[in-house]
């Protein structure tokens, strides 16, 4: 937990909006990034990020410190928000089908040359939600398997295994797209 | 490949939300527990639109509190309503902080604002059919997106 954060959380729980505002400033960019990389659409990411913090502010009274970073609570809300978003809009791809796409093995040098951020963003959007979480939290946000385990409710060992699978799938998608 | 991919993934940490959105989202969230009064203190140009949005909020809330078979439509309407509220705040910000705009753009902005007001008009939304209401709300959201794009181009 960052310096002074416990105090801010305590004040926010008591309804101190300025304290929640500081927490918002601290975590909103990374929550936005997490959602944006999952939904791959700026406006949808903005709306969902707003919802996450609105929900967090409304639920602040029920927040109890359990030794985990405050951000892990926000990430959990964000994950549920994205799931609900796809559920209500019914516009999601068949994720299971997506994960089972049979892609041929590839020569890595072929996709090396032109690989850029947009390609990687598109590829992340095609991963399963679980693999998206791992790629974003582990490689973009540079979190430890332990931190990711708290957010996802899995064990650190499972996160390490998933990390390899997620990366492998990401590369397969990049190859198939490239 | 791995190195390059990992490098790109790390670079994604530079992705940040739009500043105007962040500012208004923050303001709006924090105002929730302080009441809604401050939200409607608006410049003349946006006043009518915001009043309509407030009415929309009430209408959507009314549907939400009435359990009906159209629950999915209600959830969607509520979601769009939230999206509309955010866009309105951002548009308000853009209008207030806009440098001088040319006449043609000004006319377009006014037309789009009037369209939104019409789409969110109470009598327009006073329908027994939730699907019709949803369609009108969606149209309003679409118009606001267009308006925001126009203002951001300036």
């Amino acid at each position: 937990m960052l310096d002074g954060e416990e105090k801010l959380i305590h004040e926010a729980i008591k309804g101190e909006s300025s304290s929640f505002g500081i927490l918002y400033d601290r975590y909103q960019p990374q929550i936005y990034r997490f959602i944006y990389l999952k939904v791959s659409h700026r406006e949808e990411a903005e709306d969902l990020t707003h919802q996450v913090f609105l929900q967090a502010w409304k639920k602040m009274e029920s927040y109890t410190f359990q030794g985990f970073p405050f951000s892990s609570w926000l990430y959990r809300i964000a994950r549920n928000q994205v799931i609900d978003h796809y559920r209500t809009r019914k516009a999601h791809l068949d994720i299971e089908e997506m994960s089972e796409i049979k892609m041929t093995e590839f020569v890595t040098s072929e996709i090396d040359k032109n690989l850029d951020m947009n390609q990687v963003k598109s590829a992340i959007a095609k991963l399963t939600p679980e693999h998206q979480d791992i790629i974003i939290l582990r490689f973009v946000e540079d979190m430890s398997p332990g931190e990711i385990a708290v957010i996802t409710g899995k064990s650190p060992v499972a996160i390490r295994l998933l990390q390899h699978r997620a990366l492998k799938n990401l590369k397969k998608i990049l190859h198939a797209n490239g | 490949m791995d190195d390059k991919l990992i490098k790109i993934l790390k670079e994604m940490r530079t992705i940040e939300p739009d500043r105007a959105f962040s500012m208004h989202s923050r303001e709006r969230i924090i105002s929730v527990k302080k009441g809604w009064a401050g939200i409607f203190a608006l410049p003349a140009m946006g006043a009518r639109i915001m009043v309509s949005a407030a009415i929309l909020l009430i209408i959507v809330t009314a549907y939400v509190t009435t359990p009906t078979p159209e629950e999915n439509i209600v959830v969607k309407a509520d979601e769009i309503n939230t999206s509309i509220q955010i866009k309105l705040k951002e548009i308000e910000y853009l209008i207030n902080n806009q440098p001088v705009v040319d006449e043609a753009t000004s006319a377009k902005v006014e037309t789009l604002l009037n369209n939104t007001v019409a789409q969110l008009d109470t009598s327009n939304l006073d329908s027994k059919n939730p699907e019709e209401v949803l369609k009108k709300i969606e149209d309003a959201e679409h118009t606001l997106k267009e308006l925001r794009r126009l203002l951001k181009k300036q």
Side-chain angles (χ1 to χ4, degrees), chain A residues 28-42:
Chain A
Q28 188 255 16
Q30 70 194 67
I31 295 296
Y32 167 82
R33 197 157 48 233
F34 176 73
I35 294 172
Y36 173 72
L37 289 172
K38 282 171 84 69
V39 301
S40 205
H41 188 281
R42 196 181 65 83

Side-chain angles (χ1 to χ4, degrees), chain A residues 25 43 50-51 89 171, chain B residues 2 25-26 79 82 148:
Chain A
D25 295 339
E43 286 175 358
H50 178 82
Q51 285 301 317
R89 296 220 168 183
K171 285 190 274 186
Chain B
D2 276 12
S25 166
R26 183 190 200 275
E79 209 174 272
T82 306
R148 184 167 70 171

Side-chain angles (χ1 to χ4, degrees), chain A residues 17 21 24-25 28 32-33 43 46-47 50-51 53-54 57 61 88-89 111-112 115 140 171, chain B residues 1-2 4 9 12-13 15 17 21-22 25-26 29-30 32-34 79 82-83 86 145 148:
Chain A
S17 60
Y24 176 96
D25 295 339
Q28 188 255 16
Y32 167 82
R33 197 157 48 233
E43 286 175 358
E46 287 180 351
D47 290 350
H50 178 82
Q51 285 301 317
F53 281 89
L54 183 63
W57 180 221
E61 285 88 350
T88 52
R89 296 220 168 183
I111 54 172
D112 251 352
L115 193 62
V140 180
K171 285 190 274 186
Chain B
M1 161 67 180
D2 276 12
K4 175 105 189 244
L9 288 170
M12 283 181 174
R13 213 169 175 176
I15 294 171
F21 152 73
S22 299
S25 166
R26 183 190 200 275
I29 288 164
I30 284 172
V32 166
K33 287 187 182 175
K34 288 181 176 174
E79 209 174 272
T82 306
S83 167
I86 299 167
K145 276 184 184 173
R148 184 167 70 171

Side-chain angles (χ1 to χ4, degrees), chain B residues 108-122:
Chain B
K108 271 186 203 167
V109 168
E110 199 172 344
T111 306
L112 288 171
L113 278 172
N114 287 334
N115 288 349
T116 316
V117 171
Q119 282 154 345
L120 295 177
D121 188 81
T122 329

Side-chain angles (χ1 to χ4, degrees), chain A residues 12-13 15 17-18 20-22 24-25 28-29 32-33 36-37 41-43 45-47 49-51 53-54 57-61 84-85 88-90 106 108-109 111-117 120-121 124 135 138-142 167 170-171 174, chain B residues 1-34 36 71-73 75-76 78-87 89-90 138 141 144-146 148-149 152:
Chain A
I13 288 171
S17 60
S18 60
F20 187 80
I22 297 169
Y24 176 96
D25 295 339
Q28 188 255 16
Y32 167 82
R33 197 157 48 233
Y36 173 72
L37 289 172
H41 188 281
R42 196 181 65 83
E43 286 175 358
E46 287 180 351
D47 290 350
T49 305
H50 178 82
Q51 285 301 317
F53 281 89
L54 183 63
W57 180 221
K58 284 180 176 173
K59 285 181 173 178
M60 234 11 242
E61 285 88 350
D84 287 349
H85 168 73
T88 52
R89 296 220 168 183
K90 294 183 177 167
F106 52 91
T108 55
S109 60
I111 54 172
D112 251 352
K113 290 177 194 168
N114 302 315
L115 193 62
D116 65 25
M117 201 184 279
V120 179
K121 269 198 292 195
I124 290 174
I135 292 290
R138 184 79 181 107
F139 299 104
V140 180
E141 299 300 335
D142 206 21
L167 205 53
L170 183 63
K171 285 190 274 186
L174 281 167
Chain B
M1 161 67 180
D2 276 12
D3 288 349
K4 175 105 189 244
L5 179 57
I6 300 293
K7 187 170 174 274
I8 290 174
L9 288 170
K10 288 199 185 307
E11 281 169 4
M12 283 181 174
R13 213 169 175 176
T14 57
I15 294 171
E16 291 213 330
D18 180 80
R19 194 169 289 183
F21 152 73
S22 299
M23 210 172 92
H24 291 289
S25 166
R26 183 190 200 275
E27 191 184 305
R28 206 170 120 68
I29 288 164
I30 284 172
S31 72
V32 166
K33 287 187 182 175
K34 288 181 176 174
W36 295 94
E71 209 172 285
N72 283 340
I73 294 174
V75 170
K76 194 170 179 186
D78 196 31
E79 209 174 272
I80 298 169
N81 175 50
T82 306
S83 167
I84 285 176
Q85 303 291 331
I86 299 167
K87 285 181 182 69
K89 288 299 286 178
E90 201 179 336
E138 280 175 334
E141 191 198 17
L144 286 174
K145 276 184 184 173
E146 206 181 319
R148 184 167 70 171
R149 265 196 297 273
K152 281 194 167 179

